[in-house]
Amino acid sequence: MKRTLAALVLMLTVLAGSFAQMESHITWKFSTKNLEDGKVEIICEATVDEGWHVYSSVLPENTAVPTNIEVEESEAYTILDGITEEPQPTTHYDETFKAELQWFEKKATFKKVVQLKQEGDVVIKGYIESMICNDETCMPPEMVDFELTVNTSAPATAELTAAEEGAEEEESYWGIFILAFGGGLAALLTPCVFPMIPMTVSFFTKTSATKAAGIRNGISYGLSIIVIYLILGVAVSAIFGASALNELSTNVWFNLFFFLLLIVFAASFFGAFEIVMPSSWVNFATKNEEKGGLIGTFFMAFTLALVSFSCTGPIVGALLVKAATGGYMGPIVGMLGFSSALALPFAFFAAFPGYLNTLPKSGGWLNSVKVILGFLELAFAFKFLSIADMTMGWHILEREVFIAIWIVVFGAMGFYLLGKLRLPHDSPMEYIPVSRFLMGLLVLSFTIYMIPGLWGAPVNLISGFPPPKNYAESPFGVGDQTPVQGIVSSDNHGGGMPEGMHYGPQGIPAFKDYDLALAYSKKVNKPLLLDFTGLGCTNCRKMEDKVWSNESIKSMLANDYILVSLYVDDRKKLDEPYVSEITGKKIRTVGQKWAEFQMERYQQQGQPYYVIIDENENTLNTPVAYDPDVKKYKNWLIDGLEQYKKK
């Protein structure tokens, strides 16, 4: 009786531990909404625990696992492309992938549309795939099944409201506003805008009979500039919509278009040709300036917007791309910030024309500003090409190529600032001003700083602009050599690496398949080190960079152990999906298989998680998780070897 009771208590303890480890930090609610013309929207609402986040449906390639809705094919409906998401995700720089990623905290809603092809009840089956992380670890990607019944005769339901907008969204809007305000200040220094200041002052000097009238005209002029650009922001939001704007910023063809557009603007800034608005538009605006009053003031502002387009156009375009991440309000907030910076000096000098004399006279320095902007346009153009390249997996603009292009562009800018290069519209210089000389030295220093990036250096100052390290010709750096290549070959009787082995983190030979690794372990009589890891696991990368890089640890992992890295977020599809005996969920991917294996064998779900076993799959010592203490990890490996020798 006592043995039975003890066994029952032990079983309950293990089950309790298993359920504790299996605790999910995200819950899903599924529903549908009937749209017009027989379309049905599948709505997946997520509630995420405090401190955790779920990723957006659009992420750069080779980073974290994006949230995705998979719908089973059926003759009853057609699956339409695209996923929309609410609210707007926040953008964060991820040190693991050296890239900016978008994710949601607390609440998120993902939607996908299908087109029904028959009337009556229709059953829609599928699943949503997602991965959640916190500041320390990531859970394996999870696939949650849904089965929804819809009827085309049912009335359309009320649209779900987006999750409430919190402080993070407000912070995002403030970020867009500040960035846009800076863009407006930069636009003031372009040769298309700066010379307009005395022209506008001349206009208002004639129409402002008194000081009060001047102030009134200055305010109305500034407000007119703001209104014109706000109309542009509202139009962009109305035409494209919130979700479309977000998708547009990561769309392949849009990024290719914007790459070509910035190349054209850069060539124009360098002096190859002039971009001007149609003369009929400008003449129409100029003619209406003569009407006077508020109408004349408005058309004076409209003339400014048209004439300055060739310089403000690329700045406004780049701003709208960034503002697209702010939903409907993003472009509006962006245009408010840009136009406010642009309007302030015009309004001030229109109200107080006497202060105009304090401004420097326009001349060759304005063209230099335009050329420098051209260099920046050229550099940023390749960021848009990079997004398209990574999305499509073309590998034509990998990390080394991107950095090489930036080195050339900024190097040329530095030599231009030092007077070593001249472009068509530059004025002759007898000497280089001190400010320009110092700026040239700064740009050349930045250029030299980027050079080691060609050989694998992190170049953190430009993090987020070039592709991540794993999207490179040499992910481990140029000239990387593993010190154990000969040992691997000798273990395999001179036949090179065995089937399934490759050079993993830190150049350590490793497997990705447990069965192949176990078979090789038996062949060479070495213990097996199970490395439960993930592509999106920050702490896994920290262990590899800070602990596995130690020469003695690297040597043990390469020479004394057979390493198998089991990626729980590997999205490769299994040939034959199966149902989990623990959760009852369908296992569809390789990553799910290893996550299930970790849960079933060791009642653990977090990564990194390290286990040492022998060729008979017996655990040799206590498994360990994340702990960047090199000495402790080394002692743990030594203990594993000693236990293996005792068996």
Side-chain angles (χ1 to χ4, degrees):
M1 180 66 180
K2 289 182 179 179
R3 291 183 179 178
T4 303
L5 181 60
L8 180 60
V9 171
L10 178 61
M11 183 178 68
L12 291 175
T13 302
V14 173
L15 287 175
S18 298
F19 282 111
Q21 294 296 334
M22 291 171 60
E23 180 182 356
S24 177
H25 296 281
I26 183 172
T27 57
W28 290 96
K29 176 184 176 184
F30 302 101
S31 60
T32 60
K33 172 186 171 184
N34 285 1
L35 305 177
E36 297 179 352
D37 302 324
K39 291 186 176 66
V40 172
E41 190 173 57
I42 302 167
I43 304 169
C44 309
E45 299 175 86
T47 301
V48 186
D49 286 356
E50 187 72 28
W52 294 79
H53 57 261
V54 62
Y55 289 100
S56 167
S57 61
V58 180
L59 295 178
E61 188 178 347
N62 297 321
T63 57
V65 176
T67 302
N68 184 43
I69 301 175
E70 287 287 344
V71 180
E72 292 185 7
E73 295 184 359
S74 171
E75 296 181 356
Y77 52 78
T78 301
I79 306 169
L80 304 183
D81 293 334
I83 295 176
T84 57
E85 48 192 36
E86 298 173 354
Q88 197 66 34
T90 56
T91 302
H92 307 262
Y93 183 75
D94 191 289
E95 286 290 344
T96 301
F97 300 108
K98 303 296 182 185
E100 290 189 345
L101 304 181
Q102 292 184 322
W103 65 57
F104 302 89
E105 296 176 347
K106 298 180 181 179
K107 297 283 187 180
T109 301
F110 300 87
K111 303 176 181 179
K112 191 174 185 67
V113 177
V114 299
Q115 173 72 61
L116 299 185
K117 297 193 290 186
Q118 65 183 46
E119 297 182 354
D121 290 341
V122 173
V123 177
I124 302 175
K125 295 182 180 181
Y127 63 88
I128 186 162
E129 179 184 17
S130 65
M131 185 172 79
I132 59 171
C133 301
N134 61 15
D135 293 337
E136 297 181 352
T137 188
C138 291
M139 292 292 104
E142 182 181 26
M143 296 182 181
V144 180
D145 295 295
F146 59 78
E147 182 174 326
L148 303 166
T149 302
V150 296
N151 192 306
T152 53
S153 62
T157 57
E159 185 174 356
L160 293 176
T161 57
E164 62 179 334
E165 300 174 355
E168 289 185 354
E169 188 173 38
E170 294 180 5
E171 182 180 345
S172 175
Y173 289 150
W174 273 111
I176 292 174
F177 181 87
I178 293 172
L179 180 66
F181 194 86
L185 294 178
L188 287 170
L189 297 177
T190 61
C192 313
V193 178
F194 192 85
M196 291 292 292
I197 295 179
M199 292 173 57
T200 56
V201 171
S202 174
F203 172 82
F204 285 109
T205 300
K206 299 175 183 177
T207 58
S208 302
T210 64
K211 184 177 181 180
I215 295 175
R216 184 176 62 250
N217 287 336
I219 293 174
S220 62
Y221 183 54
L223 290 176
S224 296
I225 294 173
I226 293 173
V227 167
I228 289 170
Y229 280 97
L230 276 179
I231 292 173
L232 174 61
V234 172
V236 169
S237 290
I239 293 172
F240 294 104
S243 59
L245 279 171
N246 182 44
E247 294 173 7
L248 192 66
S249 64
T250 54
N251 180 271
V252 173
W253 301 112
F254 175 78
N255 279 281
L256 286 175
F257 167 76
F258 214 79
F259 162 71
L260 295 174
L261 184 65
L262 291 188
I263 293 293
V264 171
F265 273 114
S268 175
F269 281 13
F270 289 148
F273 47 83
E274 192 73 22
I275 299 177
V276 295
M277 297 297 289
S279 58
S280 58
W281 294 15
V282 179
N283 292 336
F284 172 78
T286 305
K287 182 179 180 181
N288 283 277
E289 293 174 11
E290 302 172 358
K291 294 183 178 180
L294 291 177
I295 296 179
T297 300
F298 179 82
F299 275 98
M300 185 66 193
F302 190 48
T303 302
L304 167 67
L306 290 176
V307 172
S308 63
F309 173 78
S310 61
C311 290
T312 61
I315 299 175
V316 170
L319 172 63
L320 287 175
V321 174
K322 175 64 178 176
T325 60
Y328 284 107
M329 288 298 297
I332 298 173
V333 172
M335 290 300 98
L336 178 62
F338 179 85
S339 58
S340 296
L342 198 65
L344 279 176
F346 281 94
F348 179 80
F349 288 112
F352 307 102
Y355 286 93
L356 181 65
N357 295 327
T358 62
L359 285 180
K361 302 302 180 183
S362 59
W365 69 273
L366 275 180
N367 187 70
S368 297
V369 171
K370 189 175 182 180
V371 171
I372 291 171
L373 287 175
F375 280 115
L376 295 176
E377 293 281 349
L378 185 61
F380 292 146
F382 286 93
K383 175 60 178 174
F384 293 98
L385 180 61
S386 174
I387 294 173
D389 179 61
M390 287 191 293
T391 301
M392 298 301 293
W394 292 329
H395 290 273
I396 61 174
L397 194 61
E398 293 179 326
R399 184 178 177 87
E400 295 90 344
V401 178
F402 184 99
I403 293 176
I405 291 173
W406 269 41
I407 289 172
V408 172
V409 171
F410 283 96
M413 183 195 297
F415 285 118
Y416 175 80
L417 287 167
L418 295 179
K420 301 301 181 182
L421 295 176
R422 283 189 59 188
L423 292 171
H425 299 300
D426 285 329
S427 301
M429 285 192 302
E430 296 181 4
Y431 63 91
I432 300 174
V434 174
S435 58
R436 178 166 176 161
F437 176 74
L438 293 176
M439 185 181 295
L441 293 181
L442 180 64
V443 172
L444 285 179
S445 298
F446 174 67
T447 303
I448 295 173
Y449 164 80
M450 290 190 290
I451 292 175
L454 296 173
W455 289 273
V459 286
N460 291 327
L461 286 181
I462 60 172
S463 291
F465 284 99
K469 282 188 176 181
N470 58 346
Y471 195 80
E473 295 178 6
S474 302
F476 299 111
V478 176
D480 175 74
Q481 296 291 329
T482 173
V484 296
Q485 186 171 359
I487 295 174
V488 172
S489 298
S490 63
D491 283 344
N492 203 37
H493 307 292
M497 280 192 174
E499 179 187 359
M501 181 177 273
H502 68 289
Y503 289 122
Q506 299 296 327
I508 301 169
F511 288 89
K512 286 187 177 180
D513 184 274
Y514 175 77
D515 295 326
L516 291 176
L518 183 62
Y520 190 65
S521 172
K522 294 177 180 179
K523 179 179 179 181
V524 297
N525 296 315
K526 290 182 179 181
L528 194 64
L529 175 61
L530 308 185
D531 165 32
F532 291 99
T533 183
L535 297 169
C537 174
T538 301
N539 284 341
C540 301
R541 303 294 87 76
K542 289 180 180 178
M543 289 292 291
E544 294 161 4
D545 293 340
K546 297 180 180 180
V547 180
W548 287 13
S549 60
N550 179 274
E551 288 302 323
S552 58
I553 290 177
K554 184 189 296 187
S555 176
M556 277 193 286
L557 292 178
N559 299 312
D560 302 321
Y561 284 94
I562 302 302
L563 175 64
V564 54
S565 295
L566 304 176
Y567 288 86
V568 299
D569 53 2
D570 188 337
R571 303 182 70 197
K572 182 181 178 181
K573 300 289 186 181
L574 293 173
D575 294 333
E576 296 183 7
Y578 62 94
V579 176
S580 167
E581 296 180 359
I582 297 178
T583 63
K585 296 179 180 178
K586 183 176 289 188
I587 306 300
R588 297 180 173 89
T589 67
V590 171
Q592 283 184 301
K593 174 184 176 181
W594 300 137
E596 171 81 4
F597 176 71
Q598 182 186 4
M599 187 64 240
E600 180 182 9
R601 185 73 63 90
Y602 304 106
Q603 290 76 52
Q604 292 288 330
Q605 212 173 12
Q607 291 80 42
Y609 192 70
Y610 306 103
V611 185
I612 299 175
I613 65 173
D614 61 21
E615 60 269 24
N616 297 316
E617 302 182 89
N618 299 312
T619 304
L620 297 178
N621 58 3
T622 304
V624 297
Y626 173 73
D627 186 348
D629 188 316
V630 174
K631 186 176 180 180
K632 287 175 62 175
Y633 196 84
K634 180 179 178 180
N635 290 337
W636 177 74
L637 290 176
I638 293 173
D639 179 65
L641 290 175
E642 291 176 350
Q643 298 302 322
Y644 181 77
K645 294 174 182 177
K646 291 178 182 179
K647 68 180 182 65

